[in-house]
């Protein structure tokens, strides 16, 4: 499974995203003002296709990490 754990800063209201399902759930509880940003819209679309193949899951992981990084929430 290519979706490896993503650690987020506490300001994001999540500690760790372990799967595409976790990422989807996290985004569905996100404020609309965040979710309407282009990087989160791209992440939502990529995650909705994550189950289609391993490549899609890898793309979803990369897109989610990029969106979290754009917000400054990614814990390095």
């Amino acid at each position: 499974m290519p979706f490896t754990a993503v650690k987020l800063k506490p300001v994001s209201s999540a500690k760790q995203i372990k799967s595409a399902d976790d990422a989807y759930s996290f985004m569905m509880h996100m404020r609309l003002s965040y979710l309407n940003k282009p990087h989160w819209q791209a992440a939502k679309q990529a995650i909705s296709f994550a189950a289609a193949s391993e490549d899609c899951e890898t793309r979803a992981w990369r897109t989610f990490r990029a969106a979290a990084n754009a917000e400054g929430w990614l814990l390095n």
Side-chain angles (χ1 to χ4, degrees):
M1 182 154 86
F3 203 103
T4 58
V6 176
K7 293 184 180 182
L8 301 175
K9 293 180 180 178
V11 72
S12 70
S13 73
K15 292 181 182 179
Q16 187 171 2
I17 305 296
K18 299 178 186 175
S19 68
D21 291 335
D22 288 348
Y24 185 80
S25 179
F26 171 74
M27 291 187 338
M28 291 303 102
H29 289 92
M30 192 180 290
R31 295 170 122 183
L32 192 57
S33 60
Y34 286 115
L35 199 53
N36 283 334
K37 293 181 180 181
H39 50 269
W40 286 116
Q41 289 179 354
K44 182 180 174 186
Q45 182 177 8
I47 287 173
S48 68
F49 290 106
S53 70
E54 193 171 306
D55 289 339
C56 289
E57 192 168 355
T58 301
R59 188 174 304 120
W61 177 78
R62 288 179 180 159
T63 308
F64 182 83
R65 277 184 55 91
N69 191 37
E71 294 295 338
W73 294 346
L74 196 61
L75 191 63
N76 294 332

